[in-house]
Amino acid sequence: MSEPEPLIVARDLGRTFPMGEEDLRVLRGVSFRIDRGEYVAILGPSGSGKSTLMYLIGCLDTPTEGTLELAGTDVATLTDAELAALRNEVIGFVFQAFNLLPRTTALENVALPLRYAGVSPRERRKRAKEALERVGLGARLDHPPERMSGGERQRVAIARAIVTRPSLLLCDEPTGNLDQRAGREITALFERLNAEDGVTVVLVTHDPLIARRARRNLRVVDGEILYDGPPLDGLPTPAVVEPSASVPPAA
Ligand SMILES: Nc1ncnc2c1ncn2[C@@H]1O[C@H](COP(=O)(O)OP(=O)(O)O)[C@@H](O)[C@H]1O
Ligand SMILES: [Mg+2]
């Protein structure tokens, strides 16, 4: 194994929202480091600042305190254009609400980020197809999300997130809208993207099983990190169902 390489370094990172008379200090100066190849679950009560933290890490929002380094770059030193380029190159996002175009084919949904990256139509098609095959939807290329199950929709969203080959996947409650079975399949998929493709995964979850299977847990309470370490509950790591992603599509 080579030396651990920091991908995310947060130093006293904070976010305060102005709220009329008083300011709301949602994130209270958190510090941590996440290396390339890690799989980290972020836990914590509703309203504790988890999404705010994800938005900062993903450069969708700007900190009001502290610094954030992504892939060795202090993001505060970048121009808007450089920041957008770094974000497109390094990060893929997966949200609880799948945020897909419901009546547009899976293939076109997944190819969209490549259009913004200036990739040729032919190459876009090829790479979108590969990404959909990677998530087990090789047989659903021309289906629109409105005719798919929740689990399939989230797979399309994951394919869209990985089509640019990011080193980091940021996932905010990605199984929050799914039934347990679909949630387990999505979990297994993230684990494979981490183990087989080397993608660093940071996901916010309320699911104790997902948290327990992550190698590292960060617990956020009232805008502070109260715990950073291996899963704590001491129970044996449970298995998840094999993802149907491992089943080749029907000919
Ligand atoms: N843009 C915003 N303006 C004002 N308050 C916000 C904003 N975004 C989040 N908050 C507040 O910050 C707190 C934490 O929100 P959030 O990070 O979404 O929590 P979590 O994801 O842990 O449920 C909440 O009290 C929320 O109302
Ligand atoms: Mg949230």
Side-chain angles (χ1 to χ4, degrees), residues 50-51 172-173:
K50 304 181 298 296
S51 292
D172 197 349
E173 302 196 34

Side-chain angles (χ1 to χ4, degrees), residues 100-193:
L100 299 167
L101 303 172
R103 279 177 284 278
T104 302
T105 66
L107 195 77
E108 286 174 70
N109 267 283
V110 172
L112 208 55
L114 297 175
R115 181 192 294 212
Y116 301 132
V119 177
S120 73
R122 189 193 165 90
E123 178 74 8
R124 290 206 294 261
R125 242 192 107 76
K126 176 170 163 283
R127 283 174 55 184
K129 184 166 174 278
E130 285 167 2
L132 281 160
E133 283 164 355
R134 185 74 183 103
V135 302
L137 288 179
R140 292 273 192 287
L141 303 180
D142 297 320
H143 282 237
E146 69 177 358
R147 287 199 278 120
M148 291 179 163
S149 70
E152 287 174 328
R153 288 176 197 181
Q154 194 57 300
R155 281 162 190 267
V156 175
I158 294 168
R160 184 185 52 187
I162 63 172
V163 77
T164 53
R165 300 178 186 142
S167 31
L168 173 63
L169 266 189
L170 293 177
C171 317
D172 197 349
E173 302 196 34
T175 63
N177 277 343
L178 303 179
D179 64 35
Q180 187 153 335
R181 187 190 153 76
R184 299 293 185 251
E185 290 186 0
I186 294 296
T187 303
L189 180 54
F190 286 132
E191 292 181 7
R192 289 186 341 144
L193 293 171

